[in-house]
Amino acid sequence: MSSTTTASHVDDFCAAVRPLLASDQLQIDESSALEVGGLAPKAIVVPSSIEQIQRVLSEAVIHVVSVIPIGGGTHLGVGNVPSSYDVALSLARMHRIIAHEPADLTVTVEPGLRIDDLQRALAVHGQFLPLDPACEAASTIGGVLALNAYGPRRHAFGTARDWLIGTRVVHADGSLSKSGGRVVKNVTGYDMHKLYVGSLGTLGVLVEATLKVAPLPDSESTLAIGSRSAAHGAELILAAHDAGLALHAAELLSPPATHAVLGQSSWCALMRVAGGAGAVARSLREIDHAATVAGAAIETLESSTAWDAWSTTFRPRGLALRISVMPSRVGETMQVLDRRLTGGSAQLSATVTTGLIRASLDASSDGQALAVINAASEVAAQFDGSMVIDAAPAAVKRGIDVFGPTRSDFAIMKRLKDEFDPKRILSPGRFVGRL
Amino acid sequence: MSAAATSNAQEQANDGVMPQVVRELVRALGRERVLSTPEELIAFEYDGTIERGKPQAVVFPESTEQVSAAVRIAHRFDVPVIPRGAGTGLSGGAVATIGGVVIALTRMKRVLEIDVANRLAVVEPGVVNLDLSKAAAPHGLYYAPDPSSQRACTIGGNVAENAGGPHCLAYGATTNHVLGAEIVLADGEVAWLGGTTRDVAGYDLIGAFVGSEGTLAIATKIVVRLMKLPESTRTLLAIFDTVDDASNSVSAIIAAGILPSALEMMDRNIIAAVEPVIHAGYPLDAEAVLLIEVDSLEEGTVEQAEAIEKLCSANNAREVRLAVAQPDRERLWAGRKTSISALGRLYPNYYVLDGVVPRTKLVEVLRKTYAIAERYGLAVANVFHAGDGNLHPNLLFDERDPGATARVLDAGAEIMRVCVDAGGSITGEHGVGLEKRDFIAWIFGPDDLAAMAKLKPAFNAGERYNPCKAFPTHKGCGEVRQAHIQRTAGAIGTDIYV
C-alpha cells in the first residue's frame, strides 16, 4: 500500500516545525539511507531534546504525517512494511548517559546512546548490560529496546523487559509520560515500560530509559564442542544447564553456522562459561568430561572473537527468521530446519534453553525467499511453535505479516494502539497485525 | 462528605439489583458456589490491611467458564467485580470498597502441568505459592518468588500484585517468572496473553497485566517459569553494633559485584520481638543483623560467602556466622520469616509500610525513618529486603491510645515521602491498592497517569474490575479510607507477613 498522506501535508508539517529546530535538525530530501521496507522518508528530523520531540509529534499529529523513530538505523528492516512513512525521527543526537550509579547497579540513558558506548562506560566500573543482540557499531539502546533485540546471553539473563525499570516516552499527541523509576523493585502504577519494549515505536518515542546492570564476571571462557547431530548438541547443552553449570550463553549451531563462526563444519555447542573463578573452573572441567565421554571434539576459543563472529553471522539481513519452540524440542526442530531450508545451507543458531532458533540465509530470488519462509513456517507449526521474520526482501514482506497470524489477544493490542495513536502516525503498519 | 455519599450511593445501587444478581449467580454456578448472607460475607470484608468493604456476594468458581459466567452477570447488572486470592494482601487490593461481587479463586487450585524438561508449570490462580514449589520439588525444581506469606498466598494474587519476597534480589519478582496467562476480560471474553513458548509476537501484554492489581482482567490459568534447585546454599548472619554499618555492608556487597539470592536486614526492635520466641541466635544487644544467602554451584557459594564475610568484617561486623546444613540455615531464617507476627508480643498493633529507595540511600533513609517515628512518639521496627532497597518499617502502637492511629498514618505518609524524595517509590511489592492511591501523585503526574489509564479501555475493563484501586480516586469511589478508618483500626496487626 502506498503512502496515505499527500506531499502538501508533509510540506505543512515541515513549515510548522522549522521554527522549532536549528537549520541542521531538519533535512528535506528523500534519504535512501533511512529506507524502511523500501520506502524513503520525505524529511528527516534530528531533535536534540525531549521538548523538541514533543513539539514535532504535536505537529505531526496535526498534519497527520507518519513518523518512524530511528536509532542507529542498523535494523530498519525489522517489522512489516509501513503503510506510510513521511518523516524519519532520528534520535542520534540524544546519546547521553544521564546517570550511572555503580553502587545501585542502575543506569539512565538517552535512546540514541550506542550500545557499544554504554558497555564501555559500564565496564570502567566492572559492570555491563547483559543484552548482547547481533548489533553493529551504530546500534543504539533505543533501537535494542524498540525491537526487544537480544542475543545468546538470553540464556542466563532474559531480555530487555527483565532489565528495563523505567522509561520516559513521548506519545503521538506530544505528551510525555513516565513509568517505573530508578529503583530496582517497584510496583507503583502499571508497568507501561513492558509495553514499549519490542513495540517498534508504535506507541510512542522512547526518550529516556533506566536499566539495571550486572557485575562483569570475574572469569570467562568460551568452548566449542563439535557434535554428531543437532540432537546431540542440544543434549550436551541441556545436560550442562541441568547440572547448574556457570553458563552465560549456550548456542547450538548448524554446520553452516559453525563454518561462519569458527571455520569448521559440524553441529556445534558454543558455550560461554562465566562467573566466579571456582565455579568456572569446575564448569569447564565438567563440560570437558562430558565431551570426552561423548567422543566430541572440544576447543577453547577467545571469547570476544567467537561471539563477535556469531553476532556478524546473525545480524538480521538478507533473509533472517526467528522460530520459537519449547526448549525440549529444539534438537529435532533444528534437524528438520537444517534439512528443509535450502537443503542444508541455512545458518541456524538456537538458544536451546529458551527454545529460540535463528535462521540466516541468502535467498537468490524473491520466489526462493518466499519458499524458505513457507517451509520454515511449516516446521515451526509442526513443532507447535511460532515464527517471526526479522529480515526479508521488501517485495516478499509486502505480501505477508512478518509476525505471523495474530492471536486471541490481538483485539487488546489493537485497542491499545487506538488509545495511544488513534491517527496512526507512529510507525504505522509496521507492527503485529499491521498495527 | 459528598464523596462518601457517592460511595454509599453506589453501594445502595448495588443493593437494589443484588437479589437478582445473586439469583443469576446461583443459577449459573450452583448454590454451593455462592455466598450472600451477611454472616457468610463477614470473612470477605477485609484482607491483610486496615481497610474494609462489604461485598454483596462472594462466588467460588471452579473453572474458567464459571469465572466468565460470573463476570458476564456482573457486567449485565453493572456491579463491581473484585478478584480475590487468599486475602493476605497488604494494600487493600481484595477489599470490596464500593461493594459488588467478590470472585474468590481459592477453589481453582490445581497445578495443571509441571513440564520438567521445559522448566515451567501451568497452574490455576488459587494454587498456594508454597504448594507450587512443593509440587515441583520432586523434580528438582522450584518457583522462585517467595513472599513471606507464601504458605497462604496464591499465585493469582501474586500475579495481581507482582509480589516479591526475599529471593527477588537475584531472581526477580513475579513479573520475571510469568510467561503467560489465560484471562477473563470484564465482558466475560476469554483470551491468552503470552504463552508457553518464550517469544510471542506483539505487545508484552502479560508484562502489563502482572501487577495490575486486579483492575484489568482475572487470570484463570497462569504459566510460570520454574528454576532448578541450587546445588549449594550458604546462609550468613552478620551482626552489627550500628544500623549504619549494616547498611554500608549492603552497599559494599552490591558494589563488589556480588548479587546474593537474598540480603535481608533486621533491626534491634525486630530482634527483641523475635529472639525470645524463636531462639534463632540473634544477639539481643545488636543494633542490626543481616541475613545473607547465596546459592549456586558449591564452588560459587564458597567464594561468595568468603567475600561477603570479608566485606561485612571490613564494615565493622561484630561477628559473621555461617550456616551450610539445611537445619542450621532454616533456624537463621525462622526469625526472619516470623518477625512481623512476633511484633505482636511488644505492642498490640503494628502498621507495616513498604517503600523502596536506591540501595545507596539506605543509611540516610533509615536514619530519617527512626527520626520520624521518634517525632511521632512511635516505636519502629525494621525488617526488610535491604539488597534491593525495599524497606518495611513497622510502626508499633496501641490503638487504644487516643490519636495513635492517626499519628501512625501521618508518620507512615511522611516515611513514604522520604522514600520518594530519596529517588524511590511508594511500594516495592505490596501494591498501591487502596492504601496508597493518593500518594501516587508524588511519583506520577497527570500525563503519566493518563498513559496508564489507556490500559483500561485496551483491556475493555472500564471500572468493572476492582474499582477505586491502584490509582488516585475518581468520582464514585468516595473517601473510603477516612470513612472506614476509625471503626476498622482494630484490624491492624492481625496476621501480617512481609
Side-chain angles (χ1 to χ4, degrees), chain B residues 70-129:
Chain B
V71 168
R72 279 177 205 275
I73 292 166
H75 186 58
R76 189 142 46 85
F77 289 93
D78 195 23
V79 293
V81 169
I82 301 92
R84 182 182 176 95
T88 53
L90 291 170
S91 56
V95 174
T97 311
I98 54 171
V101 177
V102 165
I103 297 193
L105 295 148
T106 43
R107 287 192 200 165
M108 291 180 68
K109 58 179 178 189
R110 288 178 300 164
V111 175
L112 298 171
E113 184 186 357
I114 290 188
D115 181 341
V116 178
N118 294 303
R119 294 193 187 176
L120 59 84
V122 183
V123 302
E124 291 185 328
V127 168
V128 169
N129 176 296

Side-chain angles (χ1 to χ4, degrees), chain A residues 70-93:
Chain A
I70 289 179
T74 58
H75 288 63
L76 296 179
V78 172
N80 285 314
V81 174
S83 57
S84 165
Y85 181 20
D86 298 319
V87 175
L89 184 73
S90 166
L91 296 154
R93 291 202 190 164

Side-chain angles (χ1 to χ4, degrees), chain A residues 49-403:
Chain A
S49 72
I50 291 174
E51 294 70 26
Q52 281 185 341
I53 294 174
Q54 289 185 266
R55 297 179 71 174
V56 165
L57 287 189
S58 299
E59 293 299 334
V61 83
I62 289 170
H63 298 283
V64 200
V65 301
S66 50
V67 177
I68 296 185
I70 289 179
T74 58
H75 288 63
L76 296 179
V78 172
N80 285 314
V81 174
S83 57
S84 165
Y85 181 20
D86 298 319
V87 175
L89 184 73
S90 166
L91 296 154
R93 291 202 190 164
M94 297 183 63
H95 53 68
R96 286 180 309 149
I97 293 177
I98 295 169
H100 175 214
E101 297 294 343
D104 285 331
L105 291 173
T106 58
V107 66
T108 301
V109 299
E110 290 185 330
L113 178 68
R114 293 181 176 199
I115 283 284
D116 289 353
D117 290 342
L118 173 61
Q119 300 289 24
R120 264 194 295 276
L122 295 172
V124 170
H125 299 275
Q127 299 177 346
F128 73 126
L129 177 67
L131 301 175
D132 57 346
C135 278
E136 296 174 46
S139 299
T140 62
I141 184 67
V144 167
L145 295 171
L147 268 60
N148 187 23
Y150 53 81
R153 280 195 175 110
R154 179 166 184 176
H155 161 82
F157 296 99
T159 56
R161 80 189 295 280
D162 300 304
W163 295 88
L164 182 68
I165 56 175
T167 50
R168 295 215 289 162
V169 167
V170 177
H171 299 284
D173 60 359
S175 66
L176 172 69
S177 82
K178 170 176 84 166
S179 86
R182 293 188 183 182
V183 285
V184 297
K185 197 172 173 191
N186 189 358
V187 296
T188 310
Y190 293 143
D191 266 3
M192 303 305 291
H193 41 285
K194 296 278 198 302
L195 295 172
Y196 306 137
V197 172
S199 66
L200 268 181
T202 54
L203 297 178
V205 178
L206 182 79
V207 294
E208 185 182 301
T210 300
L211 298 132
K212 297 196 282 185
V213 297
L216 279 164
D218 296 337
S219 170
E220 180 173 294
S221 195
T222 293
L223 299 176
I225 305 158
S227 46
R228 295 186 295 279
S229 64
H232 177 232
E235 266 169 42
L236 280 170
I237 287 171
L238 289 173
H241 183 48
D242 280 344
L245 301 185
L247 296 180
H248 276 195
E251 291 287 313
L252 172 63
L253 307 184
S254 72
T258 310
H259 187 76
V261 175
L262 53 138
Q264 295 164 11
S265 45
S266 65
W267 289 92
C268 169
L270 189 64
M271 302 193 201
R272 192 195 276 263
V273 184
V280 166
R282 151 113 176 261
S283 299
L284 292 173
R285 222 165 39 236
E286 292 203 8
I287 294 166
D288 190 66
H289 178 72
T292 307
V293 168
I298 185 163
E299 187 185 348
T300 304
L301 306 173
E302 206 283 306
S303 267
S304 60
T305 309
W307 294 105
D308 284 353
W310 183 93
S311 213
T312 306
T313 306
F314 288 99
R315 276 174 201 159
R317 68 199 146 104
L319 183 55
L321 312 173
R322 231 171 344 124
I323 292 160
S324 184
V325 295
M326 298 297 272
S328 59
R329 309 197 74 179
V330 166
E332 39 178 347
T333 312
M334 287 282 273
Q335 199 80 54
V336 174
L337 281 172
D338 181 55
R339 204 175 52 235
R340 293 263 330 254
L341 302 191
T342 62
S345 68
Q347 293 165 342
L348 305 174
S349 186
T351 309
V352 176
T353 52
T354 51
L356 294 158
I357 301 169
R358 287 164 207 266
S360 179
L361 307 95
D362 287 312
S364 55
S365 67
D366 290 354
Q368 200 208 354
L370 197 57
V372 167
I373 288 167
N374 287 334
S377 174
E378 278 171 34
V379 175
Q382 179 189 341
F383 291 95
D384 301 319
S386 57
M387 185 178 85
V388 170
I389 301 162
D390 280 335
V396 172
K397 280 170 59 170
R398 242 169 248 131
I400 51 180
D401 186 330
V402 300
F403 296 100

